Amino acid sequence: MLDYKDIIIKHYALHMSGRQIAAAIGASKSGVNDFLKAFEQCESLSYPLPAGITNYGIAELVYGKNPEGVDGRDLSFELPDFAEVEKQMNSRKNMTLVFLWGRYKNRCMAEEKKFYSYRQFCGRYMSWREENYETLHFNAVIGEKMEVDFAGKTFSMINRLTGELSTIVVFVAVLPYSQYIYAEGMLSTKEPQWIDVNNHALRFFGGVPAIVVCDNCKQAVTVNKDWIEPELNKDYAEWAEHNGTVILPAKVRRPKSLAEGTVKFATTWIIAALCNRKFFSFEEVQCAVAEKLEELNQYPFKKREGCRYSAYSDEEQAFMKPLPLTPYEPAVWSTAKVPLDYLITDGKNKYSVPFDLIGEEVDIQLTKTMVEVFFHGSRVASHKRVLRQLRDPIVQPEHMPIEHRKYLTYNADEFIRWAQDAGQYTLAVVKAFLSSGREPEQGYKSCARLTRLGDKYGLDRLEKACERVIAYGVQPSIRNISTVLKNRQDKLASASSDVPKPPKSHGITRGAAYFQRGGAQQ
């Protein structure tokens, strides 16, 4: 079937002859001229054509209801409204051609008209779509989507010192309504860098769209078997929640219509222009990409007024959601089992988690500034990350058992104040512990254990035990004080009277003869 609309436009708008039109569309000259003659004689149709008219409609008005249509169709059969069929297929969820054919069949039977079989219905619908596809597109919704992808082609950067070549991958983001484009070179396409370039795209656009359409790359999607419920990369899902948008992966093996075309266009405009240039630093690469990107966004449209930048700034920007106060920080996720000291590590320092999670598996999220711990999806600990290595772990008091929290307030003054309440001998022991090392902190453990002995046995018994140990003239230690308390030696009458005294020196009172054989009998 000839493309009647194309023939009419070429003849009346472009003033082409029948011979020129036949050569342009690959048809016979006589067929084109015969149609133009019939069109001129048609009283019900003229140029310009009515809006929405199809080739079938033109043929019916120009040639009339002949027994055989110009396309070989028997005009005694009722022609379905394929424009309505297309609309229903694209706008109604779970709509099928079987259902629409049944509706067409019932209507024809009610009006006593001949109808096509299901097979003929589908065949003619496919033919109609091929001829009218250019008019069957849906306008992008303003501010609704941002489509992201990697450009297929790359270029290289040279290391000045070693001559090593590094591959530069180009990330592209596009807003379908205004076709406004963002592009950035990347040395790495790992997850943290993927989050960074998505952050940069939002900052470039100055707002957040309602939906982000991405390809099924591993940085964004873990599993996408049925498209309905894809499993997103955990970090990318957190990024979407932080920015108040939704991730919608493209169907597997089905390209994103505008993004794919824009990527190809950006590949030609940016990468092709830069592939022959030599770059010796990543800063040079970024400057060159930004320069070509500005040219691209400022380049005038061919079929509409303005350019990509003006279409965005004048129309679409106002419909974007505001950016969050702080950009999302890319994170590294890991899993760990909480040890007995209820401390997890970022590889350099240790951080506390609630002690009641000892033995449980937790998820750890590491960013540049934060260490966050999750248990069954709920955040249970959050610490500011310290990049320099510390001697001691970072512990929050609420994560510790009550008996462990005492350690946080330990200092020499507190131990001395406590010992003064217990007694002079306990005070002497505490001072001995604090002065036993180079620094008072070295005696904190012994002082802490001494306080626990006081809690267990009472301060009175502890005071008497310390008195007894000091009376013995030995260096005080937790072991000998604990032994005195366990053996209840502190309950003897007097510590001073119970201490063994050295023997008195009286000289020799009996001579050697006394101890001779039989001397004892004298």
Side-chain angles (χ1 to χ4, degrees):
M1 181 178 179
L2 294 176
D3 190 344
Y4 299 126
K5 292 172 66 176
D6 190 35
I7 294 173
I8 293 171
I9 292 171
K10 281 181 167 57
H11 181 69
Y12 288 93
L14 303 180
H15 307 291
M16 295 174 64
S17 64
R19 181 179 58 79
Q20 292 172 325
I21 295 172
I25 65 175
S28 66
K29 183 176 67 174
S30 60
V32 172
N33 286 329
D34 288 345
F35 168 72
L36 289 174
K37 183 177 180 181
F39 179 75
E40 291 175 356
Q41 295 174 353
C42 178
E43 297 180 354
S44 57
L45 188 64
S46 62
Y47 184 81
L49 296 172
I53 193 169
T54 65
N55 283 323
Y56 288 111
I58 294 173
E60 187 171 348
L61 292 173
V62 170
Y63 291 101
K65 291 185 176 292
N66 299 323
E68 291 292 327
V70 294
D71 60 344
R73 184 179 76 85
D74 187 348
L75 298 180
S76 63
F77 283 81
E78 180 69 12
L79 185 67
D81 186 355
F82 289 127
E84 180 63 22
V85 171
E86 179 72 11
K87 179 180 178 181
Q88 293 290 325
M89 290 294 293
N90 284 282
S91 62
R92 298 288 299 277
K93 187 177 180 180
N94 300 326
M95 182 57 68
T96 64
L97 286 176
V98 173
F99 178 82
L100 294 174
W101 173 77
R103 180 186 292 177
Y104 155 77
K105 172 186 173 183
N106 293 336
R107 179 173 57 82
C108 290
M109 292 178 65
E111 298 175 358
E112 297 182 350
K113 295 180 180 179
K114 296 174 68 176
F115 56 88
Y116 288 111
S117 66
Y118 175 68
R119 182 176 180 181
Q120 291 173 317
F121 177 88
C122 293
R124 290 191 171 275
Y125 171 60
M126 292 299 123
S127 299
W128 181 89
R129 286 191 81 251
E130 290 177 0
E131 294 183 5
N132 296 272
Y133 184 77
E134 68 277 7
T135 63
L136 296 174
H137 66 273
F138 294 93
N139 294 327
V141 178
I142 186 168
E144 182 187 45
K145 290 182 181 179
M146 178 180 76
E147 299 181 352
V148 296
D149 204 353
F150 291 118
K153 295 183 179 180
T154 60
F155 55 95
S156 300
M157 181 184 71
I158 306 171
N159 188 307
R160 287 183 182 273
L161 298 178
T162 64
E164 182 182 0
L165 293 179
S166 299
T167 301
I168 303 296
V169 178
V170 176
F171 166 84
V172 178
V174 58
L175 301 178
Y177 179 82
S178 61
Q179 299 183 31
Y180 195 39
I181 299 173
Y182 173 72
E184 178 181 346
M186 301 176 64
L187 279 172
S188 171
T189 57
K190 293 183 179 179
E191 292 174 18
Q193 288 73 31
W194 170 256
I195 297 296
D196 281 340
V197 294
N198 277 268
N199 279 337
H200 299 165
L202 295 184
R203 187 172 60 190
F204 179 83
F205 293 137
V208 181
I211 300 172
V212 175
V213 181
C214 64
D215 204 352
N216 288 277
C217 57
K218 61 181 181 180
Q219 297 89 340
V221 182
T222 304
V223 179
N224 189 10
K225 294 181 179 179
D226 59 0
W227 183 69
I228 304 300
E229 294 183 355
E231 295 182 15
L232 299 177
N233 182 292
K234 183 181 292 186
D235 204 21
Y236 200 37
E238 289 278 343
W239 175 86
E241 182 178 352
H242 177 84
N243 289 287
T245 187
V246 176
I247 304 297
L248 183 63
K251 291 185 178 180
V252 179
R253 293 183 295 276
R254 294 192 180 184
K256 306 177 291 299
S257 58
L258 182 58
E260 294 290 349
T262 304
V263 166
K264 292 179 180 178
F265 188 66
T267 300
T268 303
W269 191 282
I270 299 176
I271 300 180
L274 302 179
C275 62
N276 293 326
R277 289 179 56 178
K278 292 184 178 180
F279 298 97
F280 298 96
S281 71
F282 191 59
E283 289 73 17
E284 291 181 24
V285 171
Q286 296 292 55
C287 290
V289 171
E291 181 182 344
K292 299 303 295 183
L293 177 64
E294 185 176 2
E295 291 181 9
L296 174 59
N297 284 323
Q298 296 288 347
Y299 193 78
F301 287 125
K302 292 183 177 179
K303 297 184 179 180
R304 54 189 284 196
E305 294 182 358
C307 60
R308 288 175 168 81
Y309 174 74
S310 62
Y312 173 72
S313 60
D314 296 344
E315 300 178 49
E316 190 166 19
Q317 187 174 17
F319 290 87
M320 302 282 281
K321 295 191 290 185
L323 290 168
L325 296 178
T326 57
Y328 178 80
E329 292 188 16
V332 176
W333 287 85
S334 62
T335 302
K337 186 176 181 179
V338 179
L340 293 176
D341 60 0
Y342 49 90
L343 297 174
I344 54 94
T345 180
D346 65 347
K348 184 173 291 186
N349 292 305
K350 291 186 175 182
Y351 304 84
S352 66
V353 298
F355 72 93
D356 52 1
L357 293 178
I358 292 175
E360 300 287 353
E361 293 280 345
V362 294
D363 295 319
I364 304 171
Q365 183 187 40
L366 300 178
T367 67
K368 293 179 181 178
T369 59
M370 296 296 294
V371 176
E372 296 186 300
V373 183
F374 296 83
F375 181 64
H376 291 172
S378 299
R379 183 184 288 105
V380 294
S382 181
H383 299 270
K384 286 189 176 180
R385 191 175 185 183
V386 180
L387 299 181
R388 59 185 178 86
Q389 190 167 7
L390 301 176
R391 184 183 66 177
D392 298 321
I394 298 172
V395 180
Q396 294 181 359
E398 58 269 23
H399 294 164
M400 304 175 69
I402 295 177
E403 60 272 14
H404 288 189
R405 295 181 191 179
K406 297 178 181 179
Y407 287 100
L408 299 180
T409 60
Y410 284 168
N411 59 71
D413 293 338
E414 287 292 332
F415 286 125
I416 290 175
R417 193 178 300 113
W418 170 83
Q420 287 174 341
D421 294 336
Q424 59 176 339
Y425 296 104
T426 305
L427 178 60
V429 170
V430 167
K431 288 182 177 180
F433 287 158
L434 295 175
S435 61
S436 60
R438 292 184 178 180
E439 298 293 337
E441 287 82 356
Q442 292 177 275
Y444 283 3
K445 283 189 176 180
S446 296
C447 292
R449 292 180 65 184
L450 192 66
T451 61
R452 289 201 293 273
L453 289 177
D455 294 338
K456 183 176 181 180
Y457 296 102
L459 294 181
D460 291 338
R461 289 191 62 188
L462 179 65
E463 173 69 9
K464 292 179 181 179
C466 291
E467 178 186 1
R468 185 169 291 277
V469 170
I470 292 174
Y472 275 116
V474 297
Q475 178 68 27
S477 69
I478 293 298
R479 177 177 292 181
N480 53 36
I481 295 174
S482 179
T483 300
V484 169
L485 292 168
K486 287 180 181 178
N487 296 335
R488 305 177 69 83
Q489 294 177 11
D490 59 295
K491 290 184 175 294
L492 298 179
S494 172
S496 58
S497 62
D498 197 47
V499 175
K501 298 179 180 180
K504 294 182 179 180
S505 178
H506 297 287
I508 299 175
T509 58
R510 294 175 181 174
Y514 179 80
F515 295 99
Q516 290 180 357
R517 187 184 186 101
Q521 298 176 359
Q522 295 180 359

